[in-house]
Amino acid sequence: MDFFGILGEKLSHSLSPEIHGTILKSIDKCGEYKLFEIERDKLGEFIEAVKLFNVRGFNITIPYKQEIMKYLDFISEEAKRIGAVNSVVLKDNKLYGYNTDYFGFGATFERKKITFKDKIAVILGTGGACKAALTYILDNEIKELYLVSRNPKDVSLNVDDKRLKVISYDELKCIKGNIIINSTPVGMYPNKDRCPIGKDIIDNYDVVMDLIYNPLETKFLEYGREKEKITLDGLYMLVAQAVKAQEIFQEINIDDEIIDNIYRDLQDKFK
């Protein structure tokens, strides 16, 4: 039996064991998926234990997505550019790091046949959650990408791309585009009645996505639905990135139908 798990500091509410357990059953693989709650000063010991007990692969959540990188033998290109790793596979006693949030984000749009080519997109927030999204968008022929921050002058992304601009929320009022994405925690459970922007701004976009998955429909997405926009929630991205991680762990391709099935089964949890 193979062992997998998720590394983090506080994991009691993680959906990862349920999602990965279902993926493993769906692809007829025998494995156990564990919670690895590790204190910051024990991270090196955890890495030693992974090799000692031959943990085949593990995912990473806050606060270790960056810190884990110094322990890895290989880091994929997308993870290097994002500056964070959320999936690690052990192979021949070496650790290989990837960022499957990049692929999960992309899969969410591909499912609806939405492309970024020659479009104008906006991401609300400039924290860690936006990094995979902005990297994917810049990789997919976007015309202009705006990151919205309450303090634009304090934002340092280390991305040299003329298509990318950091603006304030006041400046956002003057922008019209195609896709707007919320990467802030505003509207997350239990503060479900909050929205990072006013309803009128959503009029300027065709597609509205929220990286939040609890609640499934945030106030941000509710406004989008009311205005008959295409809305995308963060739950599909969560499932898709987990499936991508198992593809890496197992060295196989997994049918998109498995993502769809798990997504549908989880929807009721957050309605």
Side-chain angles (χ1 to χ4, degrees):
M1 179 182 291
D2 290 323
F3 289 94
F4 307 92
I6 181 166
L7 166 67
E9 202 167 38
K10 296 179 181 178
L11 299 170
S12 59
H13 299 293
S14 175
L15 285 175
S16 292
E18 180 178 353
I19 293 172
H20 283 268
T22 304
I23 297 168
L24 290 168
K25 288 179 183 177
S26 299
I27 59 176
D28 296 319
K29 298 290 184 180
C30 185
E32 289 286 339
Y33 193 94
K34 304 291 186 180
L35 299 178
F36 300 127
E37 289 192 347
I38 305 296
E39 297 176 4
R40 283 181 179 271
D41 61 351
K42 303 292 185 183
L43 196 53
E45 293 177 35
F46 169 76
I47 294 299
E48 291 178 9
V50 165
K51 294 181 177 180
L52 179 63
F53 295 105
N54 197 31
V55 175
R56 184 162 179 179
F58 61 94
N59 303 108
I60 305 103
T61 187
I62 54 174
Y64 299 132
K65 289 186 178 184
Q66 293 178 319
E67 195 171 349
I68 195 69
M69 296 173 78
K70 65 186 179 184
Y71 296 98
L72 305 179
D73 300 290
F74 168 86
I75 299 173
S76 65
E77 285 303 314
E78 86 283 340
K80 285 178 184 176
R81 285 183 287 124
I82 293 166
V85 163
N86 78 333
S87 297
V88 173
V89 63
L90 176 65
K91 187 175 180 181
D92 299 326
N93 208 41
K94 291 184 178 181
L95 294 171
Y96 296 76
Y98 302 85
N99 192 302
T100 60
D101 285 335
Y102 176 97
F103 300 98
F105 176 83
T108 305
F109 286 87
E110 290 166 10
R111 175 174 178 252
K112 295 291 187 178
K113 296 180 170 57
I114 299 168
T115 69
F116 289 94
K117 185 176 181 179
D118 298 327
K119 293 180 180 175
I120 297 172
V122 169
I123 301 177
L124 306 176
T126 57
C130 87
K131 301 292 177 62
L134 80 86
T135 303
Y136 181 90
I137 291 170
L138 291 174
D139 284 350
N140 283 272
E141 301 182 85
I142 193 74
K143 181 181 178 182
E144 296 175 19
L145 175 60
Y146 295 92
L147 300 189
V148 188
S149 170
R150 300 197 183 281
N151 301 291
K153 292 181 180 178
D154 296 334
V155 175
S156 177
L157 294 168
N158 297 318
V159 179
D160 183 17
D161 195 308
K162 293 180 180 178
R163 298 171 297 169
L164 178 65
K165 296 184 179 74
V166 181
I167 62 172
S168 69
Y169 279 85
D170 282 339
E171 292 173 297
L172 175 62
K173 297 172 185 176
C174 303
I175 303 295
K176 289 190 176 182
N178 308 100
I179 300 166
I180 187 165
I181 299 154
N182 177 37
S183 77
T184 78
V186 178
M188 185 183 294
Y189 179 87
N191 302 308
K192 299 187 291 183
D193 293 327
R194 298 179 62 201
C195 185
I197 57 172
K199 187 185 294 189
D200 56 324
I201 290 178
I202 291 175
D203 283 325
N204 296 332
Y205 304 90
D206 304 312
V207 179
V208 181
M209 182 193 183
D210 204 322
L211 301 189
I212 293 170
Y213 59 84
N214 186 11
L216 190 64
E217 183 178 77
T218 58
K219 187 64 69 173
F220 181 68
L221 292 183
E222 180 185 320
Y223 290 162
R225 176 176 53 78
E226 289 175 357
K227 291 177 177 291
E228 300 183 335
K229 308 296 183 179
I230 298 171
T231 59
L232 305 171
D233 60 68
L235 184 61
Y236 193 88
M237 176 177 169
L238 178 71
V239 176
Q241 68 81 25
V243 169
K244 181 63 179 181
Q246 282 296 335
E247 286 189 332
I248 293 168
F249 297 160
Q250 307 289 345
E251 298 183 284
I252 61 171
N253 292 321
I254 299 176
D255 197 292
D256 287 346
E257 185 178 355
I258 290 175
I259 304 175
D260 295 333
N261 291 340
I262 297 172
Y263 172 69
R264 283 193 296 268
D265 289 344
L266 286 173
Q267 280 180 308
D268 290 339
K269 283 181 177 288
F270 301 104
K271 285 184 178 177

